[in-house]
Amino acid sequence: MHWISYLPALGRGALITAEITLASLAIGAFLAFLAGIVRVEGGRILSIIALCYTELFRGTSLLVQLFWFYYALPLVGFSFSPVSTGILVLSMHVGAYGSEIVRAGLKSVPQQQHEAARALNFGPVHKLLHITLPQAIVEMMPAFGNLAIETLKLSSLVSFISIADMTFRAQTLRNLTQDSTTIYTLTLVGYFLMSLVIMVAMRFLERLARRGAAFPKAVQS
């Protein structure tokens, strides 16, 4: 078969890969900021809960997590569709690793900024939203860019729970045609192109953050 004949099936798989990756990044970013902020500002009990979540999902295999949520969890009465399971597990993965990025970013804000906020009598929420986060986000962006690309690559694991993503469709085509070289080369190119899109998007967001949100004039020391 000519390599062009493989593109429609791989293209449909790439759309599913993109959908799962984008959904996981969006939900995971929310979890990352929630857990990361709680680790720094949430008090002892909430911080311990966030730490347990972070270490659990960072310290166990993502593939085993997929299997547990898809095969084991239904045995106790909770079941999800394959796509929902893939998005859920990848989101928790992004949230766990991203929370460490958020925590490190918040810790990187100079102490003088905190002192200036106290001198201006800013409350904790106002300080977080208008002082700490805008500066910390700038430091977080490169690491979040790496995490986004890593999430795209890890999304190939959802093929193990029968999601027809790009990897699943590549394997199906390979089983039908035995044309391993062409099919897997096209799959590699597909993931590389999607990684380039993510990289460009994250660098654009980083430039926006550096130009607009970083270092509010009100608290410059």
Side-chain angles (χ1 to χ4, degrees), residues 54-181:
T54 298
E55 295 306 318
L56 175 63
F57 281 88
R58 291 173 70 233
T60 55
S61 165
L62 179 61
L63 182 58
V64 176
Q65 293 168 19
L66 281 168
F67 287 159
W68 190 87
F69 275 89
Y70 190 63
Y71 295 112
L73 196 58
L75 298 179
V76 295
F78 298 95
S79 62
F80 303 95
S81 69
V83 172
S84 297
T85 301
I87 292 173
L88 173 63
V89 174
L90 282 171
S91 297
M92 300 296 279
H93 172 86
V94 172
Y97 280 88
S99 68
E100 286 297 295
I101 297 173
V102 173
R103 184 182 67 85
L106 293 174
K107 290 289 188 180
S108 72
V109 176
Q111 186 60 33
Q112 294 90 331
Q113 299 292 320
H114 296 280
E115 294 172 357
R118 285 194 294 271
L120 294 170
N121 201 30
F122 288 167
V125 175
H126 190 281
K127 183 185 74 170
L128 177 67
L129 294 179
H130 298 281
I131 308 300
T132 311
L133 268 181
Q135 298 179 63
I137 285 175
V138 176
E139 304 301 322
M140 299 174 196
M141 292 305 294
F144 266 118
N146 291 335
L147 181 58
I149 293 174
E150 185 68 17
T151 302
L152 169 66
K153 293 186 290 185
L154 289 174
S155 71
S156 63
L157 294 177
V158 302
S159 62
F160 284 99
I161 56 172
S162 302
I163 297 177
D165 70 328
M166 188 160 59
T167 299
F168 183 93
R169 291 181 183 272
Q171 184 63 27
T172 301
L173 286 171
R174 185 262 177 192
N175 291 338
L176 291 173
T177 67
Q178 299 300 310
D179 189 2
S180 301
T181 302

Side-chain angles (χ1 to χ4, degrees), residues 30-45:
F30 171 79
L31 294 175
F33 276 92
L34 179 63
I37 291 170
V38 165
R39 289 283 306 279
V40 177
E41 305 284 355
R44 181 175 177 81
I45 295 177

